[in-house]
Amino acid sequence: MKGLDPRAPPGAVLVLGGARSGKSAFAERLVAETGLLRHYIATGRAWDDEMRERIAKHRSDRGDGWQTHEEPVALIDRLEALDHPGNVILVDCLTLWVTNLMMDEREMAEEFARLADFTSNTKATLVLVSNEVGLGIVPDNRMAREFRDHAGRLHQSIAAAAAEVYFVAAGLPLKMKG
């Protein structure tokens, strides 16, 4: 698999997939060979021991060569601070960011619009990872349905703004756009 071409103009790549689909590993491989300064923005919050273990495993699996930034809510502010042509930024993941925004009772449409605008105009190379949650059954409670709907709206706006979109299943990427 070829990674992103560091000579190509900057732009955004959206990588979608289900839980444990291989999307994060695929996204990391996309940026590994760019030669650009690699930034990893982690949006997860360690609410419990299991999540702390997941975060530690992700960090260990990633290995050296990444500058890690933990940013559960102010994602766009962090992206703006890192938006330089010599950077490649991997955000993992947007659905955790959606959860954090919901828990903090943020204005979702406003945050999503800001991210889509940034995605369209980035000077850096940007890779956004997110869980596709809209392929299963309708959730049985209001909060879960709102989460699914928010994630779906966010994915549509980011996919429209991104130069490339991939869907990963069973570790296999399918290029959907670009």
Side-chain angles (χ1 to χ4, degrees):
M1 176 192 71
K2 280 180 60 176
L4 299 173
D5 184 349
R7 299 161 301 176
V13 177
L14 175 61
V15 178
L16 296 168
R20 297 290 177 257
S21 64
K23 64 192 173 298
S24 294
F26 172 72
E28 290 168 17
R29 287 192 309 269
L30 274 179
V31 303
E33 302 301 322
T34 64
L36 300 172
L37 183 57
R38 292 183 284 169
H39 293 270
Y40 187 98
I41 300 179
T43 60
R45 284 181 168 160
W47 297 106
D48 56 30
D49 289 340
E50 187 266 341
M51 191 62 175
R52 279 187 276 284
E53 289 173 17
R54 282 178 181 260
I55 290 169
K57 181 168 177 12
H58 265 276
R59 187 172 283 152
S60 173
D61 289 349
R62 233 180 0 264
D64 296 332
W66 293 88
Q67 191 169 355
T68 300
H69 312 269
E70 295 185 8
E71 191 53 68
V73 176
L75 176 60
I76 297 108
D77 294 339
R78 181 64 62 125
L79 287 169
E80 289 172 344
L82 297 171
D83 193 23
H84 302 288
N87 288 342
V88 59
I89 307 165
L90 191 150
V91 177
D92 198 356
C93 84
L94 293 181
T95 42
L96 287 174
W97 180 62
V98 168
T99 298
N100 296 335
L101 293 175
M102 288 178 71
M103 299 303 285
D104 285 6
E105 299 181 1
R106 296 292 184 105
E107 175 51 50
M108 306 301 276
E110 181 180 310
E111 295 285 346
F112 294 176
R114 284 185 65 209
L115 182 58
D117 183 59
F118 179 86
T119 300
S120 295
N121 297 299
T122 182
K123 295 179 209 93
T125 300
L126 178 63
V127 178
L128 302 156
V129 176
S130 199
N131 289 294
E132 178 52 66
V133 296
L135 298 174
I137 62 171
V138 175
D140 70 347
N141 67 77
R142 180 179 177 181
M143 185 175 187
R145 286 188 299 274
E146 287 177 356
F147 169 78
R148 180 211 49 202
D149 294 348
H150 288 312
R153 283 190 284 277
L154 175 62
H155 293 161
Q156 289 182 57
S157 67
I158 300 305
E164 296 180 22
V165 178
Y166 292 88
F167 184 81
V168 180
L172 303 172
L174 171 65
K175 192 170 193 177
M176 300 175 71
K177 177 181 177 184

